[in-house]
Amino acid sequence: MAPATGGSSERTPLLPGGSSLARGSGAVPSNSTFGVTPEQLTNMLDPKDPDSLRELGGPAEICKALKVDPKVGLKQREQIGFNGEQQSEPFQARREVFGRNTLPEAHQVTFWQLLVAAYNDRTLIMLTIAAAVSLAVGIYDDTFGSHKNDDVKVGWVEGAAIFLAVLVVCFTNAINDYQKEMQFQKLNAKKEDRTVKVRRDGNEIEIGVQEINVGDILLIEPGDIIPVDGVYLTGHNMTCDESSATGESDAIKKGTLDEGRDPFILSGAKVLEGVGSMVVVAVGPRSFYGKIMMAMRQGEASETPLQLKLDILAEQIAKYGMSAAILLLITLTVKYLVKCAMAPEFPPYSIMFSHFVSIVIESITVVVVAVPEGLPMAVTISLAYATTKMLKDGNLVRQLAACETMGGATVVCTDKTGTLTQNKMTVVRGYVAGHELRSRSNAQAFYNELSEDVQSLLLESIAINSTAFEGPDEKGQIEFIGSKSECALLGFGKLCGLDYRSTRADNKPVRVYPFSSEKKTMTTIVPTKSDNKFRVHAKGASEIVLRSCTKYLNQDGEVVHLDDDTRT
């Protein structure tokens, strides 16, 4: 199939089987059974290019080019070959053209490389030089110097001890880094060991993320983290958070170009709400997230703030230690020469050389004493112990403060920031219709104090105005998944007898405005059952929601005016 060029603008290439591909789609290899190349699919995603999607004929024509029916999906035992040749395994031809959804195996760092990296430290290098000089001088002094007649030769001990300390530090660092590397590889393998829903042979099935192919129809639901790039096909009110890929914190509504929405779904994006389906167009290293991961492998790891501070400290120690040693060497040398000159007889050269060696040893001692050989080892062991201890406690995730406001009720989930916690939030304080919740242990009694209308409104707001849901976590335990503050609210509702699934099923929202950093609120609009009106549920930063309120529910559940005293 020839590319559409500017000189043949009326030419429309044909796909295998006679279906047409829109103009401007580029060249496709003659031996390919697919009517589109990997480059054509990836070029429209990075950056997002709606014009390229239109040139390819839209999602429907892309599905034809990829030989997939969106309603049926790929065949579980697909056998497509080049020039009619059958392949030995399913999807072989598809994977030869578009690749697999796995990244090339990263270069494994050997223990020897980690040992060399551990030694590449200014403090350790300076200690090694000082140890070598100290050892050489000590051996010379034991052999030819003032201690040559001693029964016990100890001049070598100081230099050997420093060498031993350097070896201990290097091996401790290397072993610690090697264990971290092995754990990191296990963590990566575990992270990728998850399943997704796809449509195959007209049925919905679960497969591992490594088994996804270009052309698969991926089914999306809230809480999913998209493992591949795709183009939106069908869905309802689907919103994605693509901040991990683009850095933009605002939620992006997905839809078709005809609806004026973003049809591109990038790998690494998180589905906040809505359901839908998409056709996979890029996997593995060709996907948006895959490109980022491959680029990260090429960069060198930057030093941590602690390493930078230790480097500065080592440099300062080296400067001041060497300065003091040189000053001492010059002072003692001048003093000895003056003393020799003032003596009645000039001492023999052998005695002078031996004295000069003693002066050099004293100067080297200043450098050795100045450099804290125990510091690198102490830092390494402390960090290794602290990290292991924190991992065992499960306290390595930083939890941010949040508060949720519902109608006239502000439920505070936590009031601390920058605290190392277990990444779990619970409702501990609340104020609803004149009643105050002071601790989690009183939640049930607090809820029972409310009138039935207020109870119903409160639980309805928690269930409807939320994207969190209940499902299995990585350990297979059933818990709420989603925003931690929303999970805390749903947990509070469950404690009070809320069945959020039935509440959501009975109250289908007509409009949802997801939380964003600009609005600092989330709003869901649902129709009321009694009349043809609508109810607006809002939650977010308390000062923003409260600023928009004009009335509130009192202890009797009556709607009354919100005055300044009550607002305060």
Side-chain angles (χ1 to χ4, degrees):
M1 184 177 71
T5 64
S8 56
S9 60
E10 298 302 321
R11 184 175 182 179
T12 303
L14 293 179
L15 298 175
S19 59
S20 63
L21 183 66
R23 295 188 297 271
S25 56
V28 178
S30 59
N31 64 339
S32 174
T33 59
F34 303 100
V36 65
T37 65
E39 290 73 20
Q40 289 173 302
L41 296 174
T42 56
N43 287 343
M44 68 179 176
L45 291 165
D46 188 14
K48 295 178 181 178
D49 188 359
D51 292 335
S52 295
L53 178 59
R54 293 188 184 95
E55 290 177 359
L56 290 174
E61 290 298 326
I62 289 177
C63 289
K64 290 181 182 179
L66 294 175
K67 291 185 175 296
V68 59
D69 183 347
K71 297 180 180 179
V72 178
L74 297 179
K75 295 181 180 179
Q76 190 72 1
R77 289 292 181 185
E78 179 185 76
Q79 294 286 340
I80 298 178
F82 294 132
N83 301 324
E85 296 179 4
Q86 292 294 314
Q87 302 296 311
S88 59
E89 62 180 40
F91 311 114
Q92 182 176 342
R94 192 177 292 273
R95 288 170 178 171
E96 286 179 0
V97 175
F98 300 104
R100 301 180 67 101
N101 191 34
T102 55
L103 297 178
E105 188 172 348
H107 172 68
Q108 302 296 327
V109 182
T110 64
F111 180 79
W112 172 251
Q113 290 174 320
L114 291 173
L115 188 63
V116 173
Y119 179 72
N120 189 20
D121 179 85
R122 292 182 181 179
T123 305
L124 296 179
I125 293 174
M126 190 163 55
L127 280 171
T128 303
I129 297 173
V133 175
S134 177
L135 185 63
V137 172
I139 293 175
Y140 174 84
D141 192 47
D142 284 343
T143 307
F144 306 105
S146 58
H147 299 286
K148 64 180 179 179
N149 297 323
D150 293 351
D151 295 333
V152 180
K153 310 293 186 181
V154 295
W156 59 272
V157 172
E158 189 174 75
I162 299 174
F163 271 126
L164 180 61
V166 171
L167 286 175
V168 171
V169 171
C170 290
F171 273 93
T172 304
N173 268 324
I175 293 172
N176 184 42
D177 290 342
Y178 188 75
Q179 289 177 342
K180 287 192 295 184
E181 190 72 20
M182 295 299 102
Q183 291 293 333
F184 184 69
Q185 292 176 15
K186 290 181 182 179
L187 180 63
N188 273 341
K190 182 67 177 177
K191 182 182 67 174
E192 298 301 328
D193 184 19
R194 57 190 177 97
T195 59
V196 293
K197 289 183 180 180
V198 297
R199 187 174 292 137
R200 295 260 180 99
D201 294 323
N203 300 316
E204 295 182 7
I205 64 170
E206 284 191 344
I207 62 172
V209 291
Q210 295 90 351
E211 301 302 317
I212 303 176
N213 300 294
V214 170
D216 261 318
I217 305 302
L218 185 66
L219 306 178
I220 305 169
E221 58 188 21
D224 286 349
I225 298 178
I226 308 300
V228 290
D229 293 342
V231 176
Y232 178 92
L233 293 176
T234 60
H236 172 70
N237 201 31
M238 194 164 72
T239 306
C240 293
D241 175 11
E242 295 181 349
S243 57
S244 61
T246 64
E248 297 294 336
S249 59
D250 292 340
I252 301 175
K253 286 186 174 294
K254 299 298 179 179
T256 63
L257 287 176
D258 295 338
E259 296 172 340
R261 294 184 176 177
D262 182 6
F264 303 107
I265 303 176
L266 301 179
S267 50
K270 182 179 180 180
V271 181
L272 299 179
E273 61 178 309
V275 295
S277 64
M278 74 178 204
V279 56
V280 178
V281 298
V283 296
R286 287 193 174 100
S287 67
F288 195 93
Y289 186 72
K291 292 178 181 177
I292 295 176
M293 296 304 295
M294 294 302 292
M296 289 177 61
R297 290 183 182 180
Q298 299 173 3
E300 295 183 358
S302 58
E303 292 185 322
T304 65
L306 179 59
Q307 290 172 328
L308 294 174
K309 289 180 179 180
L310 288 177
D311 285 344
I312 295 173
L313 177 61
E315 189 174 345
Q316 291 176 342
I317 290 174
K319 289 179 179 178
Y320 293 119
M322 289 300 296
S323 300
I326 293 172
L327 181 61
L328 180 63
L329 178 64
I330 295 173
T331 303
L332 293 178
T333 301
V334 172
K335 177 184 176 182
Y336 181 67
L337 291 175
V338 172
K339 183 179 180 181
C340 291
M342 296 178 64
E345 293 184 5
F346 209 77
Y349 288 113
S350 59
I351 296 177
M352 291 183 63
F353 180 75
S354 178
H355 200 86
F356 281 135
V357 169
S358 300
I359 293 175
V360 171
I361 291 176
E362 291 181 28
S363 302
I364 293 296
T365 303
V366 172
V367 178
V368 173
V369 172
V371 179
E373 61 265 25
L375 178 61
M377 183 167 58
V379 171
T380 300
I381 294 176
S382 299
L383 288 176
Y385 175 77
T387 303
T388 305
K389 180 69 174 167
M390 292 167 73
L391 280 171
K392 288 181 179 179
D393 293 341
N395 293 337
L396 275 184
V397 181
R398 185 177 300 274
Q399 180 173 316
L400 301 178
C403 85
E404 301 290 347
T405 308
M406 308 167 304
T410 302
V411 182
V412 180
C413 299
T414 182
D415 58 357
K416 293 182 179 180
T417 58
T419 305
L420 290 175
T421 70
Q422 293 181 337
N423 199 28
K424 294 181 180 179
M425 302 177 83
T426 55
V427 175
V428 295
R429 295 292 299 276
Y431 188 86
V432 181
H435 297 274
E436 186 174 359
L437 170 66
R438 295 186 178 274
S439 68
R440 178 175 173 79
S441 59
N442 297 329
Q444 191 65 53
F446 163 77
Y447 176 76
N448 293 333
E449 292 177 357
L450 306 176
S451 64
E452 292 185 3
D453 291 341
V454 175
Q455 288 179 346
S456 175
L457 181 61
L458 175 63
L459 296 185
E460 178 183 306
S461 182
I462 292 176
I464 296 173
N465 195 23
S466 172
T467 59
F469 59 97
E470 199 170 24
D473 61 6
E474 301 108 6
K475 299 180 181 178
Q477 299 177 349
I478 301 299
E479 64 176 21
F480 289 107
I481 300 172
S483 165
K484 298 304 177 183
S485 50
E486 289 185 355
C487 292
L489 291 171
L490 286 176
F492 172 80
K494 186 176 181 178
L495 189 65
C496 299
L498 168 65
D499 181 4
Y500 79 96
R501 290 188 178 89
S502 61
T503 304
R504 288 180 181 178
D506 295 339
N507 297 271
K508 295 294 183 181
V510 295
R511 190 66 61 86
V512 176
Y513 299 94
F515 182 89
S516 71
S517 57
E518 294 179 357
K519 299 191 298 289
K520 293 185 174 61
T521 58
M522 176 180 177
T523 304
T524 302
I525 303 174
V526 293
T528 57
K529 299 177 182 178
S530 57
D531 49 32
N532 294 325
K533 295 182 179 180
F534 295 91
R535 173 173 288 152
V536 179
H537 293 286
K539 71 178 180 189
S542 54
E543 68 277 7
I544 292 179
V545 176
L546 199 59
R547 191 187 306 151
S548 304
C549 295
T550 57
K551 299 176 182 179
Y552 75 104
L553 299 177
N554 62 12
Q555 293 184 350
D556 300 324
E558 300 172 343
V559 179
V560 295
H561 177 70
L562 179 63
D563 55 30
D564 292 337
D565 292 338
T566 308
R567 190 186 301 272
T568 302

